[in-house]
Amino acid sequence: MVLSKISSQSDVSVHSTFASRYVRESLPRYRMPDNSIPKEAAFQIINDELMLDGRPRLNLASFVTTWMEPECDKLIMDALNKNYVDMDEYPVTTELQNRCVNMIAHLFNAPLGESEAAVGVGTVGSSEAIMLAGLAFKRKWQNKRRALGLPCDKPNIVTGANVQVCWEKFARYFEVELKEVKLTEGYYVMDPEKAVEMVDENTICVAAILGSTLNGEFEDVKKLNDLLTEKNRVTGWDTPIHVDAASGGFIAPFLWPELEWDFRLPLVKSINVSGHKYGLVYAGVGWAIWRSKDDLPDELIFHINYLGADQPTFTLNFSKGSSQIIAQYYQLIRLGHEGYRNVMENCHENAMFLREGLERTGRFEIVSKEIGVPLVAFSLKDNSRHDEFEIAEMLRSYGWIVPAYTMPADAQHITVLRVVIREDFSRTLAERLVLDVTKVLHELDNLPVRLHAKSTAVGGSGRVNGTFLKKTEIETQREITTYWKKFVANKKKNNKNTIC
């Protein structure tokens, strides 16, 4: 006789997750649950929620790498349990970081001797790298002022209004005044002449951006260096330059090697670059590189001897993963100059293709430059009926994530859309995006009024004999419902004989 067995709660893990009670009972969202659940159920619950996230490769708002080769993925997975800070246990990982620092320093033309080691550090991104560089400038300025018997309590830093928010964080967290050069319509980067005018004896450095977040444009670091050199000569100051090359540091050396922006310029004392942008590594790695040991005050460096020799360390955090450091080393030796140049050329050509496709619509003004980060920033020539925010919202229905935003002061009346071209954005995707943008424009043209303008009037007002009358809530709802019914009916009528 065969004996049957009734399953218990402990057996639930052997059954289908979707046949269990875990898919019909809510889990607490903001408190840890009292009881455990099977691993299969935990995986499925989380995986199902994550399905509602956007697709990373269609996220055209981000500069961050979204694809790497499977071989590198395996290296990353194998190193997930390695804490980078344990240098004694993982000396090879430390050596890989040092190799990366030296490779990048040479890429940026650091004035190093044949056997001289570069000065730099791996970080969790450009934000930490900028904090470290800023601290070095502040401490060096303070030391010099104290030695001269001068006050050192009011440091400032000069940047353009187009800087990334991490510069504002540095200024606020470390009590440094941020002096911003305002933008103007048609000129969306820092003006070197205006920047040098703002420099005074309390300026710890001028920060130039190689690849503006707003439109990808490279700032003129060479002109800034020349103007600041002259001001330093006249005043007797020695105000230096930091280059925020978060986006452009892995682009300019391969596409425009003759462009002078790096350590070839005497006043450039430090550079940061994001490995997880055009360094082609997943999120979580950046680099800070200094011109020489003299540019990094020794009192900011902690020395450890876990490896039997002196190992300097300069970071804001302690524990961090080793995976991204290893991944960066993989990309540097795997691709080399040839591979990086090919990738950047592909990105640039696809950006130019997208730019030309958008220009052919006749509806957009391109605000990005051909020399810069491979992206296309554009705005509507006429936004009296519909604006850039509506285009961004409607593109989401096609799967695209394209940001729309206003420019900083004094160009905040300008609104732009921006598409970042990364390594995994192919020509096929560029063609599809142009097609979808064209469809969105056609759909917007069929709308009688701008949606957000309509919502202002709805529940807003209507003019009767020169007097504005506020609509009731039910009138607002009816008007919107009627409008959408007509819109859908027209779409069905127009597409009746169309084969998709």
Side-chain angles (χ1 to χ4, degrees):
M1 181 175 67
V2 178
L3 297 177
S4 62
K5 178 183 177 183
I6 299 176
S7 62
S8 65
Q9 288 293 331
S10 61
D11 298 321
V12 72
S13 63
V14 303
H15 298 300
S16 167
T17 299
F18 291 114
S20 71
R21 61 185 176 86
Y22 300 105
V23 296
R24 65 175 181 268
E25 294 179 2
S26 297
L27 289 173
R29 291 177 180 269
Y30 305 111
R31 292 179 183 272
M32 187 182 294
D34 294 329
N35 300 316
S36 303
I37 63 175
K39 60 183 184 296
E40 296 87 354
F43 170 83
Q44 195 65 57
I45 290 168
I46 296 171
N47 185 68
D48 288 353
E49 279 205 83
L50 290 175
M51 283 167 42
L52 300 175
D53 269 346
R55 296 182 181 180
R57 288 187 59 190
L58 296 183
N59 178 11
L60 306 183
S62 177
F63 293 82
V64 176
T65 297
T66 53
W67 179 87
M68 296 188 75
E69 293 177 323
E71 291 78 7
C72 193
D73 287 344
K74 187 177 187 310
L75 287 172
I76 289 172
M77 294 303 297
D78 290 345
L80 279 178
N81 58 354
K82 285 186 180 179
N83 186 359
Y84 171 76
V85 79
D86 294 335
M87 297 181 181
D88 189 27
E89 289 81 357
Y90 311 121
V92 175
T93 301
T94 301
E95 169 62 17
L96 296 187
Q97 185 222 224
N98 294 339
R99 293 178 191 176
C100 289
V101 166
N102 280 272
M103 288 182 183
I104 296 170
H106 283 289
L107 186 67
F108 295 166
N109 294 292
L112 299 172
E114 187 63 32
S115 59
E116 185 180 358
V119 181
V121 65
T123 62
V124 293
S126 274
S127 292
E128 184 189 5
I130 285 169
M131 302 285 176
L132 296 177
L135 282 172
F137 283 120
K138 182 181 178 183
R139 184 59 60 88
K140 191 170 182 181
W141 173 83
Q142 287 175 326
N143 290 344
K144 182 177 181 180
R145 299 280 290 181
R146 289 192 183 105
L148 295 173
L150 298 173
C152 57
D153 59 336
K154 294 182 179 179
N156 70 65
I157 189 168
V158 177
T159 71
N162 56 317
V163 291
Q164 214 263 0
V165 70
C166 60
W167 284 100
E168 298 177 41
K169 289 182 178 180
F170 166 75
R172 189 177 303 179
Y173 295 167
F174 297 105
E175 299 180 323
V176 176
E177 179 190 0
L178 188 66
K179 299 172 74 172
E180 292 186 339
V181 178
K182 303 302 181 185
L183 309 184
T184 57
E185 184 173 348
Y187 196 87
Y188 303 116
V189 293
M190 179 179 71
D191 185 330
E193 294 183 0
K194 292 180 180 178
V196 173
E197 287 175 5
M198 297 175 73
V199 170
D200 58 31
E201 63 180 351
N202 293 320
T203 302
I204 63 175
C205 81
V206 180
I209 302 178
L210 194 77
S212 171
T213 302
L214 302 177
N215 69 343
E217 187 174 351
F218 292 167
E219 293 182 344
D220 193 342
V221 188
K222 175 69 165 61
K223 184 177 181 180
L224 176 65
N225 179 86
D226 294 344
L227 292 172
L228 196 52
T229 297
E230 177 60 20
K231 184 159 189 174
N232 286 342
R233 186 189 66 79
V234 172
T235 61
W237 304 333
D238 59 353
T239 307
I241 295 172
H242 174 86
V243 179
D244 179 357
S247 297
F250 278 108
I251 298 171
F254 303 109
L255 292 185
W256 301 283
E258 72 287 349
L259 183 67
E260 294 184 54
W261 62 272
D262 52 18
F263 292 122
R264 285 170 288 182
L265 304 176
L267 291 184
V268 174
K269 303 300 183 181
S270 56
I271 301 172
N272 69 275
V273 65
S274 291
H276 58 223
K277 292 181 180 175
Y278 288 92
L280 309 180
V281 179
Y282 292 137
V285 63
W287 303 93
I289 310 293
W290 282 269
R291 184 184 193 87
S292 68
K293 292 180 180 179
D294 295 337
D295 298 305
L296 179 56
D298 194 60
E299 63 261 38
L300 294 178
I301 303 173
F302 292 85
H303 295 265
I304 58 176
N305 59 358
Y306 298 153
L307 305 179
D310 179 66
Q311 176 67 48
T313 176
F314 179 35
T315 60
L316 290 180
N317 63 303
F318 195 65
S319 294
K320 69 176 181 181
S322 299
S323 295
Q324 267 63 18
I325 298 290
I326 295 168
Q328 183 72 82
Y329 184 66
Y330 172 90
Q331 292 289 52
L332 291 173
I333 66 168
R334 160 78 174 97
L335 296 174
H337 281 263
E338 178 190 19
Y340 270 97
R341 183 165 49 251
N342 289 340
V343 170
M344 301 311 154
E345 286 175 352
N346 286 345
C347 290
H348 179 71
E349 289 178 11
N350 284 333
M352 292 304 99
F353 175 85
L354 179 61
R355 176 191 180 108
E356 292 166 4
L358 293 172
E359 285 179 325
R360 281 197 299 271
T361 67
R363 305 286 290 274
F364 296 110
E365 187 78 35
I366 307 297
V367 299
S368 51
K369 306 296 183 181
E370 293 190 17
I371 296 181
V373 177
L375 62 79
V376 183
F378 53 103
S379 59
L380 283 166
K381 292 180 178 178
D382 178 11
N383 61 2
S384 59
R385 285 173 53 83
H386 305 287
D387 63 20
E388 292 81 1
F389 292 100
E390 287 179 90
I391 293 176
E393 184 177 352
M394 293 186 73
L395 280 172
R396 279 184 172 264
S397 66
Y398 291 90
W400 303 106
I401 302 174
V402 177
Y405 51 88
T406 56
M407 289 291 193
D410 287 334
Q412 59 267 41
H413 59 288
I414 305 296
T415 305
V416 299
L417 294 146
R418 187 194 68 211
V419 174
V420 178
I421 308 300
R422 298 189 301 272
E423 176 187 16
D424 54 354
F425 189 83
S426 64
R427 180 62 57 88
T428 301
L429 288 177
E431 292 171 349
R432 187 72 211 182
L433 179 58
V434 171
L435 181 61
D436 289 343
V437 169
T438 304
K439 288 181 180 178
V440 166
L441 291 172
H442 179 69
E443 291 175 14
L444 287 173
D445 287 341
N446 289 330
L447 299 181
V449 292
R450 190 189 312 175
L451 287 179
H452 70 77
K454 192 174 188 71
S455 64
T456 301
V458 171
S461 59
R463 184 182 291 273
V464 178
N465 296 326
T467 303
F468 284 96
L469 300 178
K470 187 175 180 65
K471 294 182 180 180
T472 64
E473 210 171 301
I474 190 65
E475 287 175 331
T476 297
Q477 188 174 355
R478 285 172 179 167
E479 185 172 347
I480 292 175
T481 302
T482 301
Y483 158 72
W484 280 110
K485 283 181 177 179
K486 289 180 179 178
F487 176 72
V488 173
N490 287 335
K491 288 284 289 182
K492 288 181 177 179
K493 182 179 178 181
N494 293 335
N495 296 333
K496 188 174 181 182
N497 298 318
T498 301
I499 297 176
C500 297

